[in-house]
Amino acid sequence: MAAQPIPMASTTASEPTVDWDALAARARGVRRTKAVVLYAFLIAVSLPIILPYFWLVTIAFSARTGVAETAVLWRSMAVVVPAVVAFWLTAALAQSRRQLWIGIAAVAAIAAFAFALLVGPDLHVGNFIFLWEPDFASVVRSRIGEVKGAVQFPNVWHAFGNSILIAGAQTAIVVTVASLAAYYLSRFQFPGRSSMLRSLLVLHAFPVLTLIVPMFLMLYWIGLLDTLFGVILVLVAFELPFAIFIMKGFFDAVPWDIEMSALTDGASRRQAFVSVVLPQVRNGILAIAVFTFIRGWEEYIFVFTFLIRNSNWTMSLYMYWVRDDVMGVDYGVVSAVGVFYLVPSLILYMAAQRYLMQMSIGGVKG
């Protein structure tokens, strides 16, 4: 009897079909939804930080005409806030770099046109009168109708120079001394080294304002009260412990083998420190320099206590006295001084931003 052939089952009808185009479209939709949610979160977080600065700039360039001043603020907000939202949505939804740049250019053009149309006619630079008029206090009082006693304001450029001198000298001293001290603590062993490191943290933990009276008396007895040099010494003393502690972390991250190779090749200890070790901790030095300069630039309590004559005023004291109601509180002038006060810090931060973003304690760039 001949064997019967076994029929083969058909498989074509049961094979699942995959719609790859639908899966790709769904993946793109999920990514866009996540991007929109992320940018919405960033906008919600950044607006409370950005808006006060935006208001400051708007008031500084607005005429002090009562209701119109508030109207300028709201019209500016009506232009800038939608522009920021449109910018982030464009960044989230653009499918290529070309679409991104076209979208940003369109948003910028529309925002610029709307800003020039709605806000431009009400902007002026009269609030920055303190930059070219030494006796601007009397001019402002006559403008707002105040007849209170005269205030002898120093030239704003003199206060600006004092602030640059204090912040710059403090930064130079702190960076130099902190680098040398941190290198010594990192590379050399000596009795009491661990105790010294712990004391650096303890010194930084105490509120410095508790020492303001002893510091005032010390500066008085050594003849440095009401001098810029005395303020610089005080600020350096308070800033050094933490700077040394931070810089020691950077020097610890530099392998000893690199320095030893330079010494083996005939370099002296100073040459190895300057040419081999310091470039490895460049980002740490820049970070210490930037933050020290900004802290010196915005210092108020110590300069207010230790500097008496208005010829020694810094920008922080200038800002305080301009906002004093003896001049009738001209918010336009106060905001203009605030904008002028912000410019150096903003320029410094933007110039060092690339290095600050690369800063990482414990990492060594080869």
Side-chain angles (χ1 to χ4, degrees):
M1 184 176 179
Q4 296 293 327
I6 301 174
M8 298 183 61
S10 176
T11 58
T12 55
S14 60
E15 284 183 352
T17 58
V18 179
D19 189 350
W20 296 106
D21 294 335
L23 290 178
R26 182 183 301 174
R28 287 195 298 270
V30 172
R31 286 198 299 270
R32 289 178 182 177
T33 303
K34 290 182 178 179
V36 170
V37 172
L38 174 62
Y39 283 117
F41 173 76
L42 293 176
I43 291 172
V45 172
S46 60
L47 281 180
I49 302 173
I50 297 175
L51 285 182
Y53 290 100
F54 174 71
W55 279 45
L56 177 71
V57 175
T58 304
I59 296 174
F61 287 95
S62 300
R64 192 177 189 275
T65 55
V67 179
E69 181 179 333
T70 307
V72 171
L73 290 175
W74 288 113
R75 288 203 296 269
S76 302
M77 295 281 294
V79 173
V80 173
V81 172
V84 172
V85 174
F87 169 79
W88 286 114
L89 288 177
T90 302
L93 300 177
Q95 298 182 3
S96 64
R97 185 176 294 274
R98 184 170 180 270
Q99 289 185 2
L100 175 64
W101 285 113
I102 292 176
I104 291 177
V107 170
I110 295 174
F113 177 76
F115 194 85
L117 183 65
L118 298 177
V119 185
D122 296 318
L123 298 182
H124 75 145
V125 295
N127 292 326
F128 291 86
I129 185 175
F130 58 90
L131 293 177
W132 59 82
E133 176 57 64
D135 190 22
F136 79 97
S138 60
V139 177
V140 172
R141 283 196 303 274
S142 62
R143 189 172 70 184
I144 63 178
E146 291 287 336
V147 292
K148 294 182 178 179
V151 177
Q152 296 299 323
F153 281 86
N155 191 309
V156 66
W157 296 108
H158 192 74
F160 186 86
N162 288 340
S163 288
I164 290 289
L165 178 61
I166 290 178
Q170 177 196 5
T171 302
I173 297 174
V174 167
V175 168
T176 303
V177 176
S179 298
L180 295 175
Y183 176 77
Y184 190 81
L185 289 171
S186 176
R187 287 293 190 263
F188 296 94
Q189 298 291 334
F190 55 89
R193 176 173 173 269
S194 299
S195 300
M196 182 172 292
L197 290 174
R198 285 193 294 270
S199 66
L200 292 177
L201 287 179
V202 172
L203 288 174
H204 189 72
F206 291 151
V208 295
L209 291 181
T210 58
L211 301 177
I212 195 166
V213 173
M215 285 292 178
F216 184 92
L217 296 176
M218 289 174 62
L219 291 179
Y220 173 76
W221 286 114
I222 62 178
L224 292 179
L225 186 64
D226 196 22
T227 63
L228 299 181
F229 183 64
V231 174
I232 293 171
L233 288 182
V234 172
L235 297 181
V236 167
F238 288 132
E239 197 68 29
L240 263 180
F242 190 67
I244 294 174
F245 185 81
I246 293 297
M247 285 305 303
K248 181 183 178 299
F250 282 95
F251 282 114
D252 287 343
V254 179
W256 168 247
D257 296 340
I258 298 177
E259 190 174 356
M260 178 58 70
S261 299
L263 295 175
T264 304
D265 292 339
S268 65
R269 198 62 184 262
R270 183 185 63 80
Q271 291 172 332
F273 173 73
V274 174
S275 303
V276 177
V277 179
L278 281 184
Q280 301 290 339
V281 298
R282 179 189 59 183
N283 290 343
I285 293 175
L286 286 173
I288 294 296
V290 169
F291 291 123
T292 301
F293 184 90
I294 291 177
R295 286 168 65 92
W297 178 260
E298 66 184 13
E299 174 57 40
Y300 173 73
I301 298 297
F302 291 111
V303 295
F304 180 76
T305 305
F306 300 147
L307 298 179
I308 301 171
R309 293 173 297 173
N310 60 5
S311 60
N312 286 332
W313 277 6
T314 61
M315 281 303 300
S316 57
L317 293 178
Y318 193 89
M319 180 80 194
Y320 173 79
W321 287 107
V322 165
R323 59 147 292 277
D324 189 28
D325 61 357
V326 74
M327 228 169 51
V329 189
D330 190 321
Y331 295 110
V333 175
V334 174
S335 300
V337 175
V339 171
F340 183 68
Y341 189 25
L342 282 175
V343 170
S345 299
L346 185 62
I347 294 175
L348 179 64
Y349 181 77
M350 293 181 66
Q353 183 181 14
R354 182 166 65 91
Y355 300 102
L356 294 178
M357 296 298 291
Q358 297 175 352
M359 186 184 71
S360 61
I361 298 177
V364 179
K365 298 176 70 67

